[in-house]
Structures are given as structure tokens and as C-alpha cells.
Amino acid sequence: MSGHRLSRKQTTVREAVFDLFRAFGTTTIFGNPGSTELPMFRDFPDDFRYVLALQEIVAVGMADGYAQATRNAGLVNLHSATGLGHSLGAVFTAYKNQAPLVIIAGQQARSILPFEPFLFSERAAEFPRPYVKWSCEPARAEDVPAAIARAYYTAMQSPRGPTFVSVPVDDWDRLCDPVEPRRLGVVVRGDAELLAEMAEALSASARPAFVVGAAVARDDAWDEVIALAERHRARVWAAPNSGRNSFPEDHPLFAGFLAADREKIVASLDGHDLILVLGAPVFTYHVEGFGPHIPEAARLFQLVDDPAVAAWAPVGAAAVTDLKSGIRDLLDGPDPRPRPAPAACVPSLRVSAPGLTDAYLMQQVALLRPKGSIIVEEAPSSRSAMHDHLPMIDRDGFYTCASGGLGHGLPAAIGIALARPREKVIALLGDGSAMYAIQGLWTAAQLGLGVTFVIIKNRRYEALLEFGRHFGLQRTVGTSLPGIDFCALAEGQGVKVTVVDRCEALDDALRTAFANATKPTLVEVAVD
């Protein structure tokens, strides 16, 4: 045993970990460091990039967007309990987005942990649960590289998501055996018999409908779902609150967006005898509802990448599978019965001036955006206007927050811009949403990213006012946002700003912002 140890070339924990990162193709680290993290970055390698955030929710949000856009795990470096605590809302969002992250936080030196030292984390591995897939604080310094390797492999397995490793400050300079990276297959193939049954039922149905969700985009099944819908002449709905675009919204078969409401979903799907849910839960609800989950005469089949989602689905048969391979299996099914093409949906009417509404803004963004641009949205009260007037037509062309929490959109746009530098990124943000992570503008400016941030300024939490009406409230408290100066906030962080308060000024402001490829710009649009 001792001879075996002597024959191996030992290295520091830090060098072993950075070698693993290289092997995994993850050389960008997002973070906001503290004292217990500094030894991790001793002699920081020249082939790595550290992206500094001014607050931890921004660091995790950037890594979330970067991970989704690259389809590889994002690396995050946070400070002990306090930094991780600041970030937990963003960690929850990454969990709901199924964004693969490896989060590493510092811990005080092992020798003083029994004395509850300053800036230590008690029960560090428990702190981020249940919204990480796996977490640990290794028992020995020598175990840190293996723990980080496991965190990466776990983050990348479907359903993907964040993982967490707490590393004591004195571990990084300790000697250890290197950990060799391993190849790990992560594609899950669905049950062949069940998929064949689904394919036969789909081919025999008279009027099928599809409901598509974010896993279609995550598994790069864009072409496959289009082919399946066209083969079966099926109307295609976007799943409630989907965080990605999974079907071209200008396609004749696109039927619209399902509401997060049980009765409304049943009404939308009425008349279909088979409902095929691809890469989404059955169903995500936002308000209480009663009665059946689908029309009474319909059958439901689901393809999903998360066994837990399949387990809690209230109706139908579910196949747990990678969406790309699962849809290909359905494409290999029997020829469909003859059926007429469904009538195309009536397009939304053009919005005309003079009112500067969010609908008019979305329409003009659609008209003026560069070809192939990416939309990142966090403007809940303007989402309906976006659905009506700003169709998402390109593969991987849309990202939003799947958790319902705020603070994701602005930093996610930065991470996506870093991952896809040749494409224009446009972030559509409510004024309330933007304030959760406004410090991210500084990072965008420092990196010279040509992101266009469009602030939809209505001076209130409009979505809460709408929900107040749902609950029958005559008055809502804590929803007004007067006096926020986005010009001062943005210019103070190095971002150029244009203010638009009338329709006549909007097009020129958008054109100028969209044309800027090397610096971030912010367009503040005061909507009626």
C-alpha cells in the first residue's frame, strides 16, 4: 500500500481541482469571494476567467444563464455561510431551471471549527438543501477533488441542477492524489414498450394536441418536435410558465400559451382526444383550481426527463426519457391516420400609437431586433403582451425564470452573452425585477458585453396588482415604486442610458441600442 502511494505523483488540492475543471471544459468561474476563498485562487491559472459579481445572487444568476446556454455546468464561488445565504433565491431558481451548477463555498480552517470561529458555516452541507441535487463538506482535504468531480457529474445528470461543496480554507494547499476525469453517459432512454404504445395511440388519434416545455430546449429536440407536430398535424401549446422556447411561435401549428390554471387548461385543450406533453410537468398551476386536469374524453401521455415530475403527475402515462431520443422514438411509430390540418390561429392585431404600452414596446422589439437575437425576459406583468406581439422563432432564442422568483433575468442575460458572444442578447426587465440584481450592470460594463437591457417602467409591482384583483383586494400595499432613477443607477456603473417616454422616440432608441455590440446599453421605457 505504501509503495503504491509513493509511486503516484501527488499535487495540491487546488491544482487537482483546476485540472478537473479543464477536463470538464469549465474554465469560467462566477463569484464574489471572501477571506475563506482566497487560497483557492493562489497563482490563478492564465487559462481561467474569473467573472466578478458585486452580489451573490448576480454571481449565481450569471452562472445559471451561462450553464443553460453552453449546456455545461457553470462554476460558482461563494463566501462561506453569508455569501451562500445571499444567493439562495438564485440557487432555488437554478434548481427550477434545471441549470447545472457546481457551487463551491469557503469554510473556516478545520483546526478551529470546534470553536465556532468567525465566518464559519455550521452544518454547511445542509444549508442549501433541498434546492441542490447533492451537497457535502469532505471529511478530509484529500477528498475535495473527488467531491468536486462527483458534484459535476451529479449536476450534469438529468434532471440537471445545482450541486454544492463546502471547502475549508486550509484544504487548498494540502497534498492529494490527482483525480482522473471519467466519461459519464447521461442520456436516459425511455421504456421502449411504453414509447411504442404512445406512438401507436398518437398515430390512431383523431385530433392530437402537444404541450411543449423547457426540457425540449434543454435536450436540443427543437427539430424533432417540429417534425413530430408536422407529421401528426397536431396543434402545439407552450406549457404553463415554461422557462425556454421549445417550438417556433410563428409556426402555423402553434396554438398559444397555456395558463397556469386548471380550468383554463381544460378549456384550451377541449376537443382533443390525445394530449402529448413533451418536456413539461402535468401541469404547473399558479392558482387553485377544481375539476378534471384534462378534458374528460382525452388520453394523456407525457415524456419528461425528471422521475419526480412523472411521479406526481395526476393523470396519464409517463415515460422518463431524454427528450431528443424519446421524440425520435415517437417519430419511428406507425403512420398517422389521415386528418385535416388544424386551422391556424389568428395573429394578434397590430398595435398602433399613440399610447406607449408594453404591447407596443413588444411589437417594436419584434420588428427591430437583429436576426437571431436572444430574448431574456423577467417582466411578469408584460408577459401576456410579449406572448401576443413578440414571437420566439429561433432555437434557443428565449430564456426566463422558471421559479417565479425575481432577480434572475438581468444576470442571466450577462451569462448568456458570455456563452454566446456572436449573438445579440436583449433583456426585457420590469422595473421591480431589475432592482433585485441591478449591480449586474457593473459586470456587464466591465466585460464590455453588448447586452441591451430594456427596463419596462410602470413604477409598481404590476403583477401583484393583477393578483390582488384575483383575490378580490380593493387595495394592495407595498406595490408602488416611485422615484427610481435608472439613469443614475446605470450610468454610475458605466452603462449608457436612453430614456423613452413617447412612441416617437422608441424606434431610434431601440435601433441604437441593438446596434451596439461592444458595450451594454439600457433603454428605460416609461409605459402607460
Side-chain angles (χ1 to χ4, degrees):
M1 187 69 175
S2 60
H4 173 70
R5 284 190 174 183
L6 290 173
S7 67
R8 298 192 65 173
K9 181 181 179 182
Q10 289 199 315
T11 184
T12 64
V13 168
R14 177 177 52 256
E15 291 166 343
V17 167
F18 277 94
D19 283 344
L20 280 172
F21 290 158
R22 287 189 187 92
F24 297 148
T26 54
T27 57
T28 296
I29 302 174
F30 300 89
N32 182 272
S35 56
T36 54
E37 291 70 53
L38 292 178
M40 178 181 177
F41 301 108
R42 190 192 310 277
D43 301 322
F44 189 62
D46 291 337
D47 57 328
F48 279 73
R49 172 173 58 182
Y50 189 92
V51 179
L52 175 61
L54 299 185
Q55 209 268 358
E56 290 83 356
I57 195 173
V58 176
V60 174
M62 289 191 295
D64 179 330
Y66 188 80
Q68 290 194 71
T70 60
R71 292 190 171 89
N72 196 7
L75 302 180
V76 185
N77 171 246
L78 301 175
H79 179 41
S80 190
T82 53
L84 178 61
H86 288 162
S87 77
L88 284 180
V91 174
F92 170 67
T93 292
Y95 183 81
K96 291 296 185 180
N97 286 346
Q98 293 189 24
L101 303 180
V102 176
I103 302 170
I104 301 171
Q107 173 67 293
Q108 269 291 7
R110 292 179 185 268
S111 63
I112 58 174
L113 285 179
F115 312 114
E116 298 203 2
F118 190 63
L119 291 175
F120 94 117
S121 179
E122 184 176 358
R123 300 181 182 179
E126 298 177 29
F127 194 13
R129 288 187 178 274
Y131 297 116
V132 292
K133 293 181 62 182
W134 181 77
S135 67
C136 95
E137 185 174 87
R140 306 178 304 160
E142 299 93 318
D143 299 327
V144 168
I148 289 176
R150 180 175 176 180
Y152 174 82
Y153 299 136
T154 303
M156 292 296 291
Q157 293 173 23
S158 293
R160 294 182 173 187
T163 57
F164 174 76
V165 182
S166 171
V167 183
V169 66
D170 51 339
D171 283 4
W172 294 104
D173 292 311
R174 294 284 297 272
L175 292 177
C176 69
D177 290 332
V179 173
E180 294 297 325
R182 299 180 294 117
R183 292 187 63 186
L184 190 68
V186 295
V187 175
V188 176
R189 296 299 298 266
D191 179 83
E193 184 176 338
L194 178 56
L195 287 168
E197 178 186 334
M198 291 181 178
E200 290 178 4
L202 177 59
S203 295
S205 67
R207 194 174 178 227
F210 293 178
V211 178
V212 295
V216 171
R218 286 194 298 267
D219 291 346
D220 193 27
W222 176 268
D223 290 338
E224 286 79 5
V225 77
I226 295 172
L228 190 68
E230 291 177 347
R231 184 171 192 242
H232 290 279
R233 294 187 169 185
R235 299 191 75 186
V236 180
W237 296 86
N241 295 323
S242 180
R244 301 283 295 275
N245 64 315
S246 298
F247 194 82
E249 294 168 14
D250 60 348
H251 194 287
L253 292 174
F254 185 68
F257 302 84
L258 292 182
D261 179 303
R262 187 187 303 191
E263 288 93 339
K264 290 181 179 178
I265 289 173
V266 172
S268 294
L269 298 176
D270 187 42
H272 294 283
D273 62 336
L274 184 142
I275 299 160
L276 178 63
V277 180
L278 300 170
V282 180
F283 290 102
T284 300
Y285 300 132
H286 195 183
V287 295
E288 188 177 20
F290 304 94
H293 295 275
I294 60 173
E296 292 184 0
R299 300 175 67 189
L300 185 142
F301 295 104
Q302 178 187 31
L303 271 61
V304 68
D305 61 353
D306 186 345
V309 171
W312 64 251
V315 292
V320 178
T321 181
D322 168 82
L323 269 295
K324 195 178 189 75
S325 63
I327 296 172
R328 285 178 173 176
D329 287 338
L330 296 183
L331 281 166
D332 290 336
D335 291 335
R337 63 181 288 181
R339 42 176 99 97
C345 293
V346 178
S348 299
L349 295 175
R350 180 174 173 80
V351 182
S352 58
L356 183 49
T357 61
D358 56 358
Y360 183 77
L361 168 63
M362 297 298 175
Q363 172 184 274
Q364 298 312 106
V365 170
L367 290 171
L368 300 174
R369 61 179 169 174
K371 184 178 181 180
S373 56
I374 300 165
I375 301 294
V376 183
E377 178 266 329
E378 193 178 278
S381 61
S382 297
R383 196 161 294 151
S384 178
M386 181 185 71
H387 289 165
D388 289 342
H389 301 287
L390 178 53
M392 305 304 161
I393 58 178
D394 296 315
R395 178 201 306 261
D396 294 330
F398 174 73
Y399 299 80
T400 190
C401 167
S403 73
L406 300 181
H408 171 262
L410 193 154
I414 299 169
I416 293 165
L418 281 170
R420 298 169 66 176
R422 294 181 178 85
E423 292 153 283
K424 184 68 179 181
V425 175
I426 303 167
L428 303 175
L429 310 169
D431 47 0
S433 301
M435 289 303 298
Y436 277 73
I438 199 69
Q439 304 97 320
L441 294 176
W442 179 86
T443 302
Q446 293 296 309
L447 295 173
L449 299 174
V451 180
T452 298
F453 301 96
V454 179
I455 305 292
I456 306 168
K457 187 173 181 178
N458 56 25
R459 302 176 183 86
R460 57 188 176 268
Y461 292 124
E462 178 64 31
L464 291 182
L465 294 178
E466 294 173 4
F467 254 88
R469 290 188 283 272
H470 170 79
F471 290 117
L473 300 182
Q474 300 301 312
R475 183 175 67 93
T476 56
V477 298
T479 56
S480 296
L481 301 172
I484 299 176
D485 188 344
F486 284 100
C487 290
L489 289 169
E491 289 175 345
Q493 298 179 75
V495 175
K496 184 179 179 181
V497 180
T498 301
V499 177
V500 176
D501 57 7
R502 54 192 178 87
C503 291
E504 294 79 8
L506 180 61
D507 286 7
D508 285 344
L510 292 177
R511 286 193 185 96
T512 301
F514 293 164
N516 196 332
T518 58
K519 293 181 180 179
T521 54
L522 187 147
V523 182
E524 177 192 296
V525 183
V527 296
D528 296 338

